């Protein structure tokens, strides 16, 4: 459809944050994609950080990484998991990036003679950016999610740009809102009425309204919203709490959301292909086999979103093998305080253990305790990034007898620095976007679990780290049986990408990459699937 004009959908949130705008955006995209349209999601975040890389997971949730190495908001994870497509860093627009661009242009003299203003200079820049993403990706529809809530100072100039876009292009505005209920059957629409007025005062009228709430959208509430918010009754949709987020496209399809989109954007009346999607969703909700119990031993376990991609990758791989899933988030430092028997009692109940990525010293020894327990008791183990580094440390200490082995991240003067700075990281002074980031290829060793998983000679996964397995120790450690299952080969030397335990310790695989980032419902991460199969086997055969 490249010769035709690109259409746009702008998703805004009202009243409060945390309503799941990313999931709505991704679901709308899925309904279009299921009809053969090419969609490109864009997210605008108003903060002045250039990217998410310097943000703490405690405050901001997971930092998602794209193939090109851009560190982005975790909504991009949702987009990719729903749309099963890899997105470029240009699809992430932040306040920081925008102002950086404008100021660079001003210093270069691009605006010579003019005072540089929010309107038209910044708004023009935004429209140009949004259109360019559409063109570059050959998109039929660009979906722009506006971060934050209508009324925030931070996104007001962006909304103004979207208003202008609405005049110049074919644009549908979708407003996500919240309908509180004080008692059952009494959904309140007044906050949404006020929020819609606020949006209208900015010159934007929503074409569709999606309602989050604790109960089903009532006919009465729908009628009121239509009447007071200038929206057709059949263009008000219910966005209820679901068993799984992946159900939302199906639910919106049932409510005929596409009809509203097609009417406004003048799209064809096409039938969607959501058959496979529905099968996977059914397996998540009603799996044939009972739940596999996985312990994720981490550091940010109190923050729901800090390990969201790990959680979703587990959901995808459990659905793939048609098993239920129970995840327990274990605080690593708690294991450090436990007596040995208690650790045994506690960890023994799981079918699998995972140590995900992380930074900083807190909880490190607790994670090593968990890995050691998994190895000695043949509990399937999966290590992700830091989880690989600690798997190597545990093996070096307890099998190779390099008792004080450590990473120089945690012990600068260790006698056995089995994990050390990547050479290019040694001179880095700036914190932003300075890690080893994004997709790197990996050559896979034959006769390994990894080879079985990918069934290819090479794979490519996404990275975010400063340390690596110290190449000086690879020979020595492999003499004791640790399997080096994958390397990134380059002229600067080989970087260890994947390691595996020798089979006597059961299933243990760890990757320097964050393989969870590329897992999608339709194409789960291959190593996760192998891991879940091993966990299912352990569950079946008894502990
Ligand atoms: N802290 C480790 C490093 O920088 C691991 C990073 C991670 O797990 N993402 O190499």
């Amino acid at each position: 459809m490249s010769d035709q004009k690109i259409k746009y959908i702008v998703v805004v949130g009202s009243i409060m944050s945390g309503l799941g705008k990313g999931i709505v955006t991704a679901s709308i995209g899925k309904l279009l994609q299921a009809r053969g349209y090419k969609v490109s999601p864009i997210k605008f975040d108003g903060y002045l950080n250039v990217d998410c890389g310097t943000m703490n997971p405690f405050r901001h949730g997971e930092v998602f990484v794209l193939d090109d190495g851009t560190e982005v908001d975790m909504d991009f994870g949702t987009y990719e998991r729903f749309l099963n497509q890899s997105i470029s860093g240009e699809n992430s627009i932040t306040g920081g990036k925008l102002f950086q661009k404008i100021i660079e242009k001003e210093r270069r003299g691009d605006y010579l003679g003019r005072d540089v203003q929010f309107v038209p200079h910044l708004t023009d820049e935004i429209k140009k950016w949004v259109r360019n993403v559409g063109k570059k990706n050959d998109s039929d529809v660009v979906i722009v999610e506006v971060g934050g809530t209508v009324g925030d100072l931070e996104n007001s100039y962006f909304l103004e740009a979207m208003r202008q876009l609405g005049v110049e292009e074919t644009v549908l505005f979708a407003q996500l809102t919240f309908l509180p209920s004080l008692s059952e059957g009494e959904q309140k629409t007044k906050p949404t009425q006020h929020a819609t007025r606020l949006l209208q005062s900015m010159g934007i009228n929503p074409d569709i309204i999606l309602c989050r709430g604790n109960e089903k959208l009532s006919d009465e509430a729908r009628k009121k919203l239509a009447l007071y918010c200038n929206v057709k009754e059949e263009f008000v949709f219910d966005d209820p709490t679901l068993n799984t987020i992946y159900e939302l496209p199906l639910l919106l399809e049932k409510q005929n959301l596409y009809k509203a989109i097609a009417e406004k954007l003048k799209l064809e009346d096409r039938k969607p292909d959501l058959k496979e999607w529905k099968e996977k969703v059914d397996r998540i909700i009603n799996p044939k086999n009972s739940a596999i119990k996985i312990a994720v031993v981490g550091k940010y376990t109190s923050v729901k979103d800090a390990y969201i991609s790990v959680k979703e990758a587990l959901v995808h791989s459990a659905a793939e093998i048609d098993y239920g899933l129970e995840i327990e988030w274990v605080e690593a430092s708690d294991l450090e305080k436990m007596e040995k028997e208690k650790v045994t009692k506690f960890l023994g109940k799981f079918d699998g253990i995972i140590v995900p990525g992380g930074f900083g010293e807190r909880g490190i020894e607790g994670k090593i305790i968990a890995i050691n327990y998994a190895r000695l008791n043949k509990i399937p183990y999966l290590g992700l990034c830091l989880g690989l580094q600690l798997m190597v440390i545990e093996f070096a200490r307890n099998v190779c007898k390099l008792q004080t082995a450590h990473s120089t991240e945690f012990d600068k003067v260790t006698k056995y620095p089995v994990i050390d700075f990547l050479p290019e990281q040694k001179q880095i002074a700036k914190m932003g976007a300075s890690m080893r980031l994004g997709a790197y290829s990996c050559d896979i060793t034959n006769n390994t679990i990894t080879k079985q998983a990918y069934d290819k000679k090479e794979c490519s996964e996404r990275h975010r780290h400063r340390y690596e397995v110290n190449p000086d120790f690879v020979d020595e450690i492999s003499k004791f049986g640790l399997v080096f299952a994958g390397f990134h080969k380059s002229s600067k030397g080989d970087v260890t990408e994947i390691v595996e335990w020798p089979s006597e310790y059961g299933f243990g695989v760890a990757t320097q990459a964050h393989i969870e980032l590329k897992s999608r419902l339709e194409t789960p991460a291959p190593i996760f699937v192998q891991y879940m199969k091993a966990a299912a086997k352990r569950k079946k055969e008894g502990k």
Side-chain angles (χ1 to χ4, degrees), residues 100-117:
Q100 195 179 45
K101 204 167 192 165
I102 289 283
I103 290 168
E104 266 169 24
K105 277 183 151 186
E106 188 276 333
R107 292 290 81 186
R108 220 168 39 215
D110 288 11
Y111 306 109
L112 220 51
R114 288 289 309 258
D115 44 345
V116 185
Q117 296 183 305

Side-chain angles (χ1 to χ4, degrees), residues 357-360 384-386 389 409 464-467 512 514:
F359 296 82
L384 304 164
C385 202
L386 178 67
Q389 298 174 357
E409 181 177 2
R464 184 170 187 261
H465 64 120
R466 293 191 198 281
Y467 293 80
Q512 186 58 74
H514 287 276

